[in-house]
Amino acid sequence: MRPARAGVLHVQRGAVWATRRGPHAANAGAAGGDDVLRAGQRLRLHAGDVLVLEPIAVPGTPAQRVALHWQPAADTRWATEVARPASELQRALRDAVRAGGQLLRGTAAWAGHRLGPCRDARCLHDA
């Protein structure tokens, strides 16, 4: 297996011996070593990683066919260059509409006060 994009390999059923490129004896479980992955476990891979998988029988459990699921990582460029700015723009437009409504209500209230009938001495003084 050599993924073109980063992602996560999920063992859904069975067990596999996973060998990554690199030294193995002193590096088991590290980026260049070997791993035994059982059902429910996940392994993160980077684009271009080399991984060899072999189905194995785990002692104490019956042999099973292996079922794997590959989930590519989300495209972070899309998130940072498009999705996040679009979300920020949506929030800004919503705030602008809210502020515009408050401005119209405030202006109407102010105009109504300024143009309304004068009922006390303050009106005559303000005018």
Side-chain angles (χ1 to χ4, degrees):
M1 176 177 188
R2 177 180 262 172
R5 287 180 30 191
V8 177
L9 179 69
H10 177 219
V11 180
Q12 294 179 320
R13 183 179 61 231
V16 294
W17 184 277
T19 302
R20 294 188 194 211
R21 177 184 11 194
H24 305 291
N27 238 1
D34 294 343
D35 288 302
V36 172
L37 302 172
R38 294 185 168 105
Q41 290 186 304
R42 299 170 190 272
L43 182 64
R44 291 192 182 284
L45 297 171
H46 300 286
D49 279 354
V50 176
L51 185 71
V52 177
L53 300 169
E54 291 182 54
I56 60 170
V58 177
T61 62
Q64 295 184 17
R65 285 188 169 179
V66 173
L68 305 171
H69 176 71
W70 172 250
Q71 179 66 48
D75 186 354
T76 56
R77 273 188 67 203
W78 173 265
T80 57
E81 295 177 9
V82 178
R84 187 177 304 138
S87 176
E88 290 172 2
L89 178 61
Q90 181 183 21
R91 211 173 309 122
L93 289 173
R94 190 172 44 241
D95 290 346
V97 167
R98 188 177 307 121
Q102 290 172 344
L103 177 63
L104 288 174
R105 285 189 297 280
T107 302
W110 177 81
H113 171 72
R114 296 289 289 171
L115 301 176
C118 183
R119 293 202 171 111
D120 64 17
R122 285 186 304 151
C123 291
L124 297 174
H125 180 49
D126 288 344

